[in-house]
């Protein structure tokens, strides 16, 4: 069993990258943190009226932990892709790979010791805001939400990671092409699998 985890600023490209990797790797499954958001009625609102979605309390993290542990117990029965991938590679035979993708993963202690590789996709402010403006959210972003909540929480979280000297995170430039990012991460996974086999 091998675990990769993708963390990213909002609209950093983690979901697209994870899906493309799944198609290249055999016996690969994805668990997305976005699937564990609490309903809007259970998400706290601050004094400005902003719904606080970019914090761990907005998520059913205990359910996410359970899903990951259930996958670990029986990866072969989890509905993973078992057919030949687009690219075959000897070190991947008989290995089950789980990609976990989300925006708040590395500061959640119950999961943090599981990860073999940690990737963090970053974006500069203007590009992140531009991408976010092209997406439709339910509930929709209120005026000032990106600057008042989303971006500050991203900076806070990223600073916490950078100050944690024991945390090994591979920071990736989210402005690079998907092809370049995919090539890098795929090669990195293969190298890591070879190390684990040695």
């Amino acid at each position: 069993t091998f675990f990769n985890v993708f963390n990213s600023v909002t609209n950093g490209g983690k979901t697209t990258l994870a899906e493309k990797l799944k198609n290249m790797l055999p016996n690969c499954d994805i668990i997305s943190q976005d699937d564990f958001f609490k309903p809007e009625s259970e998400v706290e609102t601050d004094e400005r009226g902003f719904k606080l979605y970019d914090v761990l309390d907005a998520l059913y993290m205990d359910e996410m932990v359970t899903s990951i542990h259930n996958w670990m117990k029986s990866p072969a029965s989890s509905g993973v892709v078992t057919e030949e991938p687009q690219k075959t590679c000897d070190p991947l035979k008989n290995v089950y790979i789980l990609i976990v993708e989300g925006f708040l993963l590395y500061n959640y202690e119950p999961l943090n010791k599981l990860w073999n590789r940690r990737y963090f996709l970053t974006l500069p402010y203007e590009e992140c805001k531009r991408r976010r403006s092209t997406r439709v959210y339910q509930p929709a972003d209120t005026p000032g939400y990106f600057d008042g909540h989303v971006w500050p929480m991203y900076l806070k979280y990223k600073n916490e990671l950078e100050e944690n000297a024991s945390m090994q995170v591979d920071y990736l430039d989210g402005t690079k092409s998907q092809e370049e990012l995919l090539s890098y991460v795929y090669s990195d996974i293969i190298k890591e699998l070879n190390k684990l086999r040695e």
Side-chain angles (χ1 to χ4, degrees):
T1 305
F2 179 80
F3 297 94
N4 273 308
V5 64
F6 288 101
N7 207 106
S8 167
V9 62
T10 180
N11 296 283
K14 61 190 175 298
T15 305
T16 303
L17 189 57
E19 290 289 348
K20 288 185 176 181
L21 278 167
K22 181 180 176 180
N23 291 330
M24 295 174 71
L25 299 166
N27 305 323
C28 182
D29 204 6
I30 297 173
I31 290 178
S32 173
Q33 194 174 35
D34 284 356
D35 293 336
F36 299 91
F37 270 114
K38 293 176 180 177
E40 185 182 359
S41 61
E42 293 183 35
V43 176
E44 289 186 31
T45 304
D46 72 4
E47 66 279 358
R48 300 163 297 179
F50 292 152
K51 283 285 184 181
L52 303 180
Y53 277 103
D54 289 53
V55 296
L56 285 169
D57 285 345
L59 298 145
Y60 292 122
M61 289 304 294
D62 52 342
E63 291 183 13
M64 186 174 188
V65 171
T66 299
S67 293
I68 291 170
H69 284 296
N70 285 342
W71 184 92
M72 290 167 66
K73 288 175 193 172
S74 184
S77 63
S78 61
V80 298
V81 178
T82 54
E83 66 267 18
E84 284 295 304
Q86 293 171 4
K87 296 180 180 178
T88 55
C89 189
D90 286 340
L92 299 182
K93 288 179 181 175
N94 305 315
V95 173
Y96 288 92
I97 299 169
L98 180 64
I99 296 172
V100 180
E101 60 99 357
F103 67 105
L104 285 172
L105 291 170
Y106 301 150
N107 62 350
Y108 189 67
E109 202 55 39
L111 291 176
N112 224 357
K113 293 175 183 173
L114 292 177
W115 317 131
N116 297 94
R117 297 292 290 140
R118 297 179 184 90
Y119 304 97
F120 194 115
L121 285 150
T122 64
L123 284 176
Y125 168 83
E126 290 294 345
E127 177 62 13
C128 185
K129 189 170 186 177
R130 184 194 67 77
R131 290 188 190 183
R132 177 123 183 158
S133 70
T134 67
R135 296 275 293 273
V136 177
Y137 289 91
Q138 291 297 331
D141 283 355
T142 54
Y145 187 68
F146 180 85
D147 288 315
H149 175 62
V150 175
W151 188 255
M153 292 308 297
Y154 160 67
L155 293 179
K156 177 178 180 290
Y157 177 51
K158 187 167 177 281
N159 287 338
E160 287 173 2
L161 293 184
E162 291 171 342
E163 288 170 6
N164 186 344
S166 65
M167 183 81 68
Q168 293 186 327
V169 179
D170 198 344
Y171 292 92
L172 307 177
D173 181 355
T175 64
K176 290 186 177 179
S177 70
Q178 280 288 327
E179 291 72 22
E180 190 173 352
L181 290 168
L182 185 64
S183 175
Y184 172 80
V185 175
Y186 179 81
S187 297
D188 194 52
I189 291 170
I190 300 303
K191 286 177 190 172
E192 190 67 19
L193 286 165
N194 279 323
K195 285 182 192 173
L196 291 172
R197 292 209 157 199
E198 287 173 0

